[in-house]
Amino acid sequence: QVQLVESGGGLVQTGGSLRLSCTASGRTFSNYKQGWFRQAPGKEREFVAAIRSRGGSTYYADPVKGRFTISRDNAKNTVYLQMNSLKPEDTAVYYCAAAPRTLGWPTSGYDYWGQGTQVTVSS
């Protein structure tokens, strides 16, 4: 029903920046809350950031506060994750997700997931 495609990952040096994009199909994008998650090698998937459907209200995991910014452009069916001051510990596969439900949000409640984009930060 909802297809999500991430892009913008790559290899950067410590202190560098990347901007991830997640484009959703369908006409219901503006009705979904959006989030970003990441999964590092050998670790569980963890919450990174989230934004409400109307935009404005945002939520961030402690390790990325002050460095990452989530935003969305509903006219383009796209959510972004601007990542600045990247650290090696940010290395992971980053996934965007859509949450049609409210229960558990912003860290839970996501029903739709993209395939992920690799972010590697070299030291």
Side-chain angles (χ1 to χ4, degrees), residues 8-11 18 20 39 41 90-94 116-121:
L11 173 64
L18 284 174
L20 305 184
Q39 186 168 18
D90 295 318
T91 295
V93 176
Y94 283 71
T117 184
Q118 177 70 49
V119 171
T120 302
V121 184

Side-chain angles (χ1 to χ4, degrees), residues 2-5 22-26 29 34 76-79:
V2 177
Q3 304 293 324
L4 305 173
V5 180
C22 174
T23 300
S25 65
F29 176 82
Q34 295 281 148
K76 297 181 178 180
N77 286 349
T78 300
V79 62

Side-chain angles (χ1 to χ4, degrees), residues 27-70:
R27 301 173 63 185
T28 61
F29 176 82
S30 62
N31 299 124
Y32 288 77
K33 297 173 287 292
Q34 295 281 148
W36 286 95
F37 291 75
R38 66 186 183 185
Q39 186 168 18
K43 297 184 178 180
E44 297 295 321
R45 182 186 63 199
E46 65 175 352
F47 170 77
V48 175
I51 187 169
R52 292 189 180 276
S53 58
R54 68 170 66 89
S57 297
T58 56
Y59 305 85
Y60 298 94
D62 287 341
V64 308
K65 287 182 179 178
R67 300 188 298 120
F68 291 11
T69 302
I70 186 172

Side-chain angles (χ1 to χ4, degrees), residues 88-120:
E89 50 262 46
D90 295 318
T91 295
V93 176
Y94 283 71
Y95 301 89
C96 66
R101 298 175 288 111
T102 301
L103 183 63
W105 196 84
T107 57
S108 301
Y110 298 88
D111 290 345
Y112 305 99
W113 297 83
Q115 293 300 306
T117 184
Q118 177 70 49
V119 171
T120 302

